[in-house]
Amino acid sequence: MSDRKSPLAPLKNEFYRTIWVASISSNLGGLIQGVGAAWLMASISRSENMVALVQASNTLPIMLFSLLSGAVADSFDRRKVMLLSQFFMLTASVLLAVFAFLGQISPWSLLFFTFLIGSGTALNNPSWQASVGDMVPRSDLPAAVALNSMGFNITRSVGPALGGMIVAASGAAVAFLVNAFSYLPLAYALYRWRPEVPQTTLPREQLGAAISAGLRYVAMSPNILKVLFRSFVFGLTAVAILALLPVVARDMVAGGPLTYGILLGAFGAGAIAGALSSARLRELLSSEDIVRLSFAGFALSTAIIGVSGSAWLTGMALLLAGACWVLALSLFNTVVQLSTPRWVVGRALSLYQTATFGGMATGSWLWGHVAETNSVGHALLASALVMIVGVAIGFRLPMPPFASLDLDPLNHFNEPELRLDVKPRSGPIVVQIDYEIDDDDVQEFLSLMVERRRIRLRDGARNWALMRDLENPEVWTETYHTPTWVDYVRHNQRRTKADAETSDRLLALHRGASKPRVHRMIERQGIPPADDVFHQTHIEPH
């Protein structure tokens, strides 16, 4: 099998391999901590809802803070952001261990500390996932994303069982301390990594503007919106198993912390199998086929667990659930990355995480509430029914295909020489582009302009409009605004090679003797003298 198709090909990259191995240590500690927290909550509270809230407190920060973290990932050195997040989680884990050793942990303080650790994860994840595209070639990106899932689930196959043994032998406090030490190898690997930081002459976007740009890009990207919605539904329904598994282990199969760890290990083993088979499945099936199968398989697993009283049968169902889990989530992640250029990939991934973990946080509370008011079995069966709805959604909102667009920067824009002394913050800037279009080509032109409008707005333009000259109907004028000159330059530098197809087709329809004429103007506030208006706009009066 060629490297291109091998699921292990990204491991040939030294930087990726080093950080991937170090992340396994961190993930192992996180899973041990998760077992300790879940079982400690089950020990100090008889409320199924409080047990489910442990999962919610770990995922809620990702929903709340991921967009901000994505803007940070695209605006700052991702390596430094990841180092900061590791230090933050290390500190929170040490404090949790200290309070646990002192016997000062209450249900709400436990939720507080897991919320802090989840906040560190929210800061780390967009930078880590965006950095994968900086480490490996684009052709290896799907395999690298699947390897990330596989690495986590390798630890999931042994970490929970190990965590269960640690909790059973030494208590939850020791599990929390083990987690604190687990951050050190990844922090050291990140410290040694020296990625190539892209150079730019433009000033860094303010965080507010960067967040708005990320929201705008995703809002104007139909393929990404489909992924976000499907991932939210998957997280909402699939989390029922993970959120209620401590209660399943305790009550439905009459086990202890070791049983809980073994059941989580079965879920992780299934996920490893799913990660290893993902490349082959992508060759045989469409992305929508894989997502539908994942929804259906997870629904079947959840229903079996909801009626099972056998640890063996529950474990077998968890194998299938783990495979479906990693197939769906790694596919969602891959499609987002392949549909997003590098300048905004951190923010797109953060919105994907917001949708997925928002669904998980909501589902953790929802299914915990259903379990408390009815029973754990009823909650699992209800989530399985809702997951079947997720299969049906695919007929209306199918996943985009695996085909990868060329989203490298086009790099055709040269900043024009200006006769006015325009500063980077000068503005607003008004741009007009004149086209001459034959009557026979108007319908095709208008169709292309729909796509042009989407691209313009997606990349930061405002107030886009298309006008037709009443005296010369063959003349059409596209117009849009940007807040400042630097925003105009940034808008043009965001164009990708995939966008060039629309531009080339528009240029082919233009019938003028020269290329479409571009007017770049600065809008004046107030009422300046008439000659000053002429000087600023460079437009002849009609």
Side-chain angles (χ1 to χ4, degrees):
M1 183 177 290
S2 66
D3 285 351
R4 183 181 64 83
K5 294 184 179 180
S6 171
L8 303 179
L11 292 178
K12 293 187 175 182
N13 182 291
E14 179 183 359
F15 296 132
Y16 177 81
R17 183 175 66 250
T18 300
I19 294 178
W20 183 80
V21 171
S23 70
I24 289 180
S25 169
S26 181
N27 291 335
L28 182 64
L31 287 165
I32 292 172
Q33 185 271 339
V35 172
W39 197 257
L40 179 59
M41 182 63 83
S43 302
I44 63 179
S45 173
R46 298 299 298 179
S47 168
E48 285 84 354
N49 197 33
M50 291 299 291
V51 174
L53 283 177
V54 173
Q55 182 74 21
S57 67
N58 204 28
T59 55
L60 182 62
I62 300 177
M63 180 187 71
L64 295 177
F65 307 134
S66 275
L67 183 55
L68 175 61
S69 302
V72 169
D74 287 330
S75 302
F76 295 89
D77 186 330
R78 290 168 183 155
R79 168 181 163 272
K80 293 179 180 178
V81 173
M82 288 187 283
L83 278 170
L84 176 63
S85 66
Q86 297 303 309
F87 177 76
F88 180 85
M89 289 187 285
L90 169 63
T91 303
S93 298
V94 169
L95 289 174
L96 174 59
V98 169
F99 275 78
F101 275 118
L102 295 176
Q104 299 298 313
I105 289 292
S106 68
W108 288 107
S109 63
L110 178 59
L111 292 178
F112 172 73
F113 280 114
T114 55
F115 182 88
L116 288 181
I117 294 172
S119 298
T121 303
L123 178 62
N124 179 78
N125 280 358
S127 291
W128 160 235
Q129 295 190 32
S131 294
V132 173
D134 299 329
M135 297 178 194
V136 302
R138 192 172 183 83
S139 60
D140 283 344
L141 188 58
V145 171
L147 272 174
N148 287 347
S149 297
M150 186 176 76
F152 176 75
N153 287 290
I154 287 173
T155 60
R156 178 173 265 162
S157 65
V158 297
L162 180 59
M165 288 188 288
I166 291 173
V167 172
S170 305
V174 174
F176 301 150
L177 188 62
V178 170
N179 180 49
F181 281 105
S182 74
Y183 294 112
L184 298 178
L186 182 55
Y188 179 68
L190 291 170
Y191 175 76
R192 293 189 59 203
W193 182 40
R194 292 294 184 270
E196 198 174 310
V197 179
Q199 300 298 317
T200 178
T201 58
L202 298 178
R204 180 184 293 126
E205 279 187 288
Q206 295 182 351
L207 283 181
I211 290 173
S212 296
L215 288 170
R216 182 175 55 245
Y217 187 92
V218 170
M220 300 302 296
S221 302
N223 284 347
I224 298 179
L225 289 176
K226 291 179 183 178
V227 176
L228 298 190
F229 182 68
R230 300 292 293 280
S231 65
F232 173 83
V233 175
F234 188 83
L236 176 73
T237 52
V239 78
I241 286 181
L242 295 178
L244 296 173
L245 196 57
V247 186
V248 170
R250 186 190 67 190
D251 297 342
M252 295 188 68
V253 299
L258 182 57
T259 302
Y260 172 56
I262 292 173
L263 291 178
L264 269 180
F267 186 93
I272 293 172
L276 290 174
S277 63
S278 61
R280 179 61 176 163
L281 287 174
R282 286 196 301 269
E283 294 177 355
L284 298 175
L285 302 173
S286 70
S287 57
E288 178 57 32
D289 290 336
I290 294 174
V291 170
R292 288 182 192 173
L293 286 173
S294 298
F295 269 92
F298 212 101
L300 176 62
S301 301
T302 307
I304 292 172
I305 295 169
V307 299
S308 171
S310 163
W312 286 104
L313 180 59
T314 298
M316 294 299 293
L318 285 168
L319 286 171
L320 175 61
C324 295
W325 174 275
V326 77
L327 284 172
L329 293 183
S330 63
L331 187 143
F332 292 148
N333 187 303
T334 298
V335 171
V336 170
Q337 294 214 44
L338 292 179
S339 303
T340 312
R342 301 305 303 166
W343 68 267
V344 74
V345 67
R347 282 160 283 186
L349 285 168
S350 72
L351 284 168
Y352 156 69
Q353 289 188 55
T354 299
T356 304
F357 285 91
M360 291 181 188
T362 304
S364 295
W365 171 83
L366 174 63
W367 306 122
H369 179 72
V370 174
E372 182 128 350
T373 55
N374 293 276
S375 69
V376 175
H378 283 105
L380 292 170
L381 290 173
S383 70
L385 287 175
V386 179
M387 186 158 278
I388 294 299
V389 176
V391 177
I393 290 173
F395 291 97
R396 187 66 181 268
L397 296 173
M399 291 286 294
F402 289 118
S404 175
L405 299 174
D406 189 347
L407 299 179
D408 289 335
L410 185 59
N411 289 331
H412 282 183
F413 177 74
N414 295 313
E415 192 168 344
E417 295 183 7
L418 305 178
R419 296 176 61 185
L420 287 179
D421 184 19
V422 175
K423 306 298 183 185
R425 306 306 302 175
S426 297
I429 303 299
V430 181
V431 180
Q432 293 182 344
I433 307 172
D434 296 332
Y435 299 89
E436 294 183 26
I437 305 297
D438 288 343
D439 285 343
D440 293 341
D441 295 329
V442 166
Q443 289 304 314
E444 182 180 358
F445 174 76
L446 293 176
S447 177
L448 289 171
M449 273 297 170
V450 172
E451 179 66 8
R452 169 57 68 89
R453 174 184 179 274
R454 186 187 69 83
I455 293 171
R456 293 286 193 203
L457 296 178
R458 184 200 66 190
D459 291 348
R462 303 179 181 179
N463 302 327
W464 186 94
L466 181 63
M467 300 173 288
R468 190 174 193 179
D469 195 312
L470 293 175
E471 298 177 7
N472 301 293
E474 71 279 3
V475 176
W476 295 76
T477 300
E478 176 193 9
T479 180
Y480 64 91
H481 295 200
T482 60
T484 65
W485 178 254
V486 73
D487 289 315
Y488 170 72
V489 175
R490 184 177 282 121
H491 165 80
N492 281 277
Q493 289 185 353
R494 287 171 175 170
R495 293 176 62 197
T496 67
K497 293 179 180 178
D499 299 331
E501 179 182 354
T502 299
S503 299
D504 291 343
R505 291 175 64 188
L506 284 170
L507 189 61
L509 294 179
H510 174 65
R511 299 308 181 200
S514 58
K515 289 185 178 181
R517 184 180 178 188
V518 180
H519 308 267
R520 302 177 184 91
M521 298 161 282
I522 186 168
E523 184 178 302
R524 290 295 300 266
Q525 304 299 321
I527 305 177
D531 58 344
D532 194 31
V533 173
F534 176 80
H535 180 68
Q536 293 285 345
T537 63
H538 295 200
I539 287 189
E540 299 279 343
H542 288 291

